[in-house]
Amino acid sequence: MTVQAALVHEVTAAELGDEPGGKKRRLREKHAGGRKSYGMFWCIVPFLILVFLFSYFPLYGWIYALFDYKPALGLSGSEFVGLQWFEMLVSSPTQMTQIGQVLVNTLAISFLGIATSVLPLVFAVFLNEVRTPWFRNAVQTLTTLPNFISWVLVYMIAFSLFSSTGLVNSILTDSGLITAPIKFLDTDQHVWVTMTLWSIWKGLGWGAIIYLAAIAGIDQSLYESARIDGAGRFQTMWYITIPQLMPTYLVLLLLSVANLLNNGMEQYFVFQNAFNKEHIQVLDLYVYNIGITGNSLSMATAIGMLKSVISVILLFTVNTIAKRVRGTSIV
Amino acid sequence: MKLKRKVAVTAIALLAAGLLSSCSGGGSTAEKTTTSSFPAKWDKEITIDVFDGLANYMGIQKGWFAKIVKDKFNMKLNIIAPNVAGGGDTLYNTRVAAGNLGDLIITDKGQKLDELVQGGLVMDASSYYPAMTNVATFDKAVDNVNDGKDGIYGFPTQVSSIKPTESSEGLDPTFGPFLRWDLYKEAGYPKISTLEDLLPVLKQMQDLEPTAPNGKKVYALSLFKDWDGNMMNNAKQPTCFYGYDEMGFVLAKADGSDYQGILDPDGEYMRTLKFFYQANQMGLMDPESTTQNYDTLFSKYQNGQVLFSWWPWLGQSAYNTDANTKAGKGFEIAPLEDMNVFSYGAEAYGGKQVMAIGSKAKDPERIAAFIDWLYSAEGTYANNSQTMGAAGPQGLTWDVASDGKPALTDFGKQVFIDGKGDVPAEWGGGDYTDGASALNVSLVLPNDVDKATGLPFSYKFWPSYQKITSTPLSEDWSAHMDDATSTMDYLAKNNKITVAPGASYTAPADSSEIETLRNQVKAIIVQYSWQMSFAKNQSEFDSLQKELISKATGLGYDKVLKVDMDNAKAQNDARVAVAAAFK
């Protein structure tokens, strides 16, 4: 009997508790069911602890937003300032505009990421059609590799290629096409697009792995029957492979929507400079710049809380939409 | 069941307690037995962690300095350098939050030291003080650093017996317009009336030498961003040629005659940004300025790819090698007619940094003895920073000659003039420069006089040294600059220097609100300063300037400026007072 079934059984027994000896039996049932559910409970305890430690315990850190935290003095030695930081955030229109810009950057880069999330799928579908094994393996290895390179190294590559004395500018200047070097890295133009391109370069092969696995799982008889019906290569791709991959794609899409505000900071941190800061500063980077670079840890905590608030709002919005559209919801 | 629950509850409680307790700090109290003299010998070897806010080297100290410390104290120095680790105060904050910054701490006095004392991270060294006989020479400075504290927590750096109204800088000022003298000469020593007049001269020089010996393009100006703080660091430097220095967002004149906010549209800071903008328009600015760091820039100077330097210790130390100066090439100060260079007076009560003993130090007594030794003549010769003319250990690099005056040995000449030399095994071996003290802090100023020799500690002042280092470059420069013997000599003779009396003033800690406002405003100022310097045209420059002022104002610039203005004035009061006290 599962936990749920035991509960149902108990409720029905309680409702029908008019039979003789019902009380005794109920107790016994409860006891038996309880023992089983305890057993199950112990199985999930480690995970509950993990969730508590990594998802709820850090919320304790929010308390730093109410203090004027100085590391040398510790939390107990630091002054309690109440909502001072929140007041500071909202009292200055310039600050609000700045945070607004940061949110726009965050969402824009996230949506560009979601919009391009179809690329790994397309890549996997085409790669799967390559019939020469060594070539396919070579392409897959070469495209997966960038995923293991840290963003710092990616920036080194970008720098040696695109800085004002980098490879690209040297070639262009030497061939006489330009006289002054083009500022690829320190410009505010197309920052969102270039950042998206870099993430695609880094993540394409890695993202394709899961689709390749899914493709391997597609029933071969589907292809066989399609071929008997006279389907060509592109037709099998379009009518069989892609529809079969859709569930996987949708799950991954949902996950990336859930991570809308979490676009990380490493990439933007290494690429940021005075010239592109306005449009590269995403929420995570903004919090880092204020907290670690600016040494205002409490203020950064306050802004970090903002992220959670926005996430909760997003969650409820998506939930309401799901309720309206599908009739079911997650919360 | 009961047992299981108990176990689970206990486990969770322990876990929670462990997590919480790991955050707490706390310090130990030293025993209050007073030490009147240090032991002559230390039996057990120890390695101490030195948290050094100034060090540019991380790891165990090596070479001849390590050997001296080992022989005298049976101790190794493990240097922890936030400068090397990068990331601003991150390393400091994490170590401080963990409750142990290091055994020996070199950090800023004022807010940082006060917090460390309050948080129980540094030790009261009063019980060792009676044995610290060398420090006692600078008793006044020690008192001043520990003023208002209930013990002796910090030991001052950069102390000297020089008057606060005299420059602390020695033969070269900290700031000054230094340019490639050989090209300036080739251009015919054109007259330079003001900062802006430098541009055509630099253009002429750049045209004379468009490519460096390594085939790379030569630029008159090249910038870097590593040291940006309250403002774009490079943009502050030319304001120092006119006697200003920064106090937060304020530029204060050395003699207290003028105070400017850095965003004043007609102020000195904006003037520099315009200067940079014009230089860039004229093709004088290295386009790599926006991305390179100090190290890259330094190697550009070494390769002769840059023609102008804000500081002698950048251009000269990179380019004025023996070979170059003998060929008449090198950086020397240019005579701007209206300049009035800012100079730091000898700090009567010590410089910005202090040394302190960590509250969890392994062997505090030995560390106290080490600190005391650093103030001794022997310690001063060995420890002073390389760029300031540390003469090294007596007997190795220098010795007292037959006339009773100090002179460099053959090995010393090899090291300081040719720039390289392998230390003999009995002195620790290895390359001389690599073995120099990595502490990078002078406890006693190198231009202070050694009573034993009657001359300053720094070899650069010794007549014996000056005699052997005369080169075609220095001779040409001197002939053109009224026969001056050094940069300082020229500036003093021509009344082109203003000494700010060394009052050892430290601004009071910002309130947390001001600090937060400041951090946000300075980020905007730095960002826009760079953009303005590299603006495409005048209208973009103007609109960026407008945007900068409105954004900075919106983020609270005026509030912070008021605090800085008060601090700058208080600093001036302290300067006036110290000048009067040491008359």
Side-chain angles (χ1 to χ4, degrees), chain A residues 6 39 42 56 62 80 85 121 154 156 164 169 177 191 195 234-235 245 272 278 288 314 318 325 330:
Chain A
W42 284 119
Y56 288 95
W62 279 12
F80 179 82
W85 303 114
L121 182 138
V154 172
M156 300 275 279
S164 43
N169 268 318
L177 287 171
V191 177
M195 284 305 109
F234 281 99
Q235 280 166 321
L245 287 181
Q272 75 171 345
E278 179 105 18
Y288 180 87
L314 274 177
V318 172
V325 177
I330 34 172

Side-chain angles (χ1 to χ4, degrees), chain A residues 121-174:
Chain A
L121 182 138
V122 176
F123 176 69
V125 170
F126 281 105
L127 187 65
N128 188 52
E129 296 297 323
V130 174
R131 291 280 175 256
T132 330
W134 68 265
F135 182 68
R136 190 173 59 211
N137 290 340
V139 170
Q140 207 191 332
T141 313
L142 285 177
T143 50
T144 314
L145 219 53
N147 181 64
F148 298 100
I149 305 174
S150 74
W151 277 113
V152 179
L153 288 179
V154 172
Y155 182 70
M156 300 275 279
I157 297 169
F159 189 81
S160 50
L161 286 178
F162 296 114
S163 73
S164 43
T165 50
L167 183 70
V168 175
N169 268 318
S170 306
I171 292 176
L172 289 176
T173 341
D174 292 348

Side-chain angles (χ1 to χ4, degrees), chain B residues 197-499:
Chain B
D197 283 355
L198 255 179
L199 291 170
V201 177
L202 289 172
K203 174 89 185 137
Q204 220 177 329
M205 288 164 59
Q206 191 175 310
D207 289 344
L208 281 169
E209 191 164 295
T211 42
N214 63 0
K216 298 261 175 67
K217 236 183 133 179
V218 167
Y219 288 98
L221 295 168
S222 193
L223 314 179
F224 67 104
K225 60 179 175 177
D226 310 20
W227 300 346
D228 291 349
N230 283 309
M231 57 195 91
M232 179 179 172
N233 177 282
N234 288 163
K236 189 205 88 171
Q237 307 312 325
T239 71
C240 300
F241 304 165
Y242 292 98
Y244 291 89
D245 194 28
E246 64 179 305
M247 170 58 75
F249 293 145
V250 169
L251 289 174
K253 222 166 178 175
D255 54 8
S257 60
D258 188 24
Y259 303 91
Q260 304 180 345
I262 52 172
L263 295 187
D264 289 0
D266 303 319
E268 288 291 321
Y269 184 74
M270 287 297 172
R271 180 184 174 190
T272 315
L273 292 183
K274 193 161 266 174
F275 173 78
F276 285 171
Y277 160 72
Q278 281 164 350
N280 189 40
Q281 295 290 315
M282 291 168 72
L284 300 174
M285 188 72 86
D286 182 357
E288 271 194 304
S289 295
T290 51
T291 40
Q292 71 192 349
N293 59 16
Y294 184 81
D295 292 342
T296 320
L297 181 67
F298 193 81
S299 62
K300 280 188 181 171
Y301 275 102
Q302 286 177 315
N303 297 331
Q305 291 170 250
V306 190
L307 304 182
F308 187 83
S309 164
W310 320 114
W311 310 292
W313 41 270
L314 176 57
Q316 289 192 340
S317 67
Y319 191 76
N320 289 19
T321 58
D322 194 35
N324 278 337
T325 48
K326 277 199 179 124
K329 290 169 156 192
F331 282 85
E332 290 293 351
I333 199 162
L336 298 193
E337 277 185 7
D338 65 344
M339 75 179 167
N340 196 346
V341 175
F342 182 97
S343 168
Y344 294 106
E347 301 276 11
Y349 306 117
K352 282 194 183 69
Q353 278 79 24
V354 284
M355 271 201 176
I357 306 173
S359 57
K360 291 186 180 155
K362 261 163 237 149
D363 187 349
E365 189 184 10
R366 205 182 309 190
I367 296 170
F370 175 61
I371 293 178
D372 187 51
W373 171 75
L374 289 172
Y375 287 94
S376 69
E378 190 191 6
T380 305
Y381 278 117
N383 172 60
N384 266 332
S385 75
Q386 209 64 29
T387 46
M388 292 178 84
Q394 183 174 5
L396 175 65
T397 42
W398 67 279
D399 225 329
V400 179
S402 47
D403 59 355
K405 299 286 169 206
L408 295 181
T409 60
D410 288 341
F411 179 71
K413 285 177 194 161
Q414 196 188 332
V415 168
F416 298 128
I417 298 170
D418 305 338
K420 246 188 153 53
D422 287 326
V423 177
E426 73 260 31
W427 288 92
D431 180 64
Y432 180 83
T433 324
D434 292 344
S437 167
L439 296 176
N440 199 23
V441 61
S442 301
L443 292 189
V444 178
L445 277 184
N447 51 348
D448 198 15
V449 173
D450 177 7
K451 288 190 185 83
T453 65
L455 283 171
F457 290 106
S458 165
Y459 64 83
K460 290 183 180 172
F461 289 88
W462 301 345
S464 59
Y465 172 77
Q466 286 169 352
K467 213 186 293 165
I468 53 173
T469 49
S470 167
T471 62
L473 174 72
S474 61
E475 278 159 22
D476 183 61
W477 179 83
S478 174
H480 190 78
M481 304 290 269
D482 317 332
D483 294 322
T485 53
S486 70
T487 311
M488 217 33 135
D489 183 40
Y490 164 78
L491 292 173
K493 269 191 200 157
N494 290 276
N495 235 347
K496 284 188 189 303
I497 192 155
T498 311
V499 178

Side-chain angles (χ1 to χ4, degrees), chain A residues 58 86 155 182 300:
Chain A
F86 297 92
Y155 182 70
I182 303 174

Side-chain angles (χ1 to χ4, degrees), chain B residues 507-524:
Chain B
D510 280 339
S511 75
S512 51
E513 190 203 356
I514 294 295
E515 193 188 357
T516 305
L517 292 178
R518 178 192 300 286
N519 285 326
Q520 302 213 46
V521 174
K522 75 185 191 189
I524 286 287

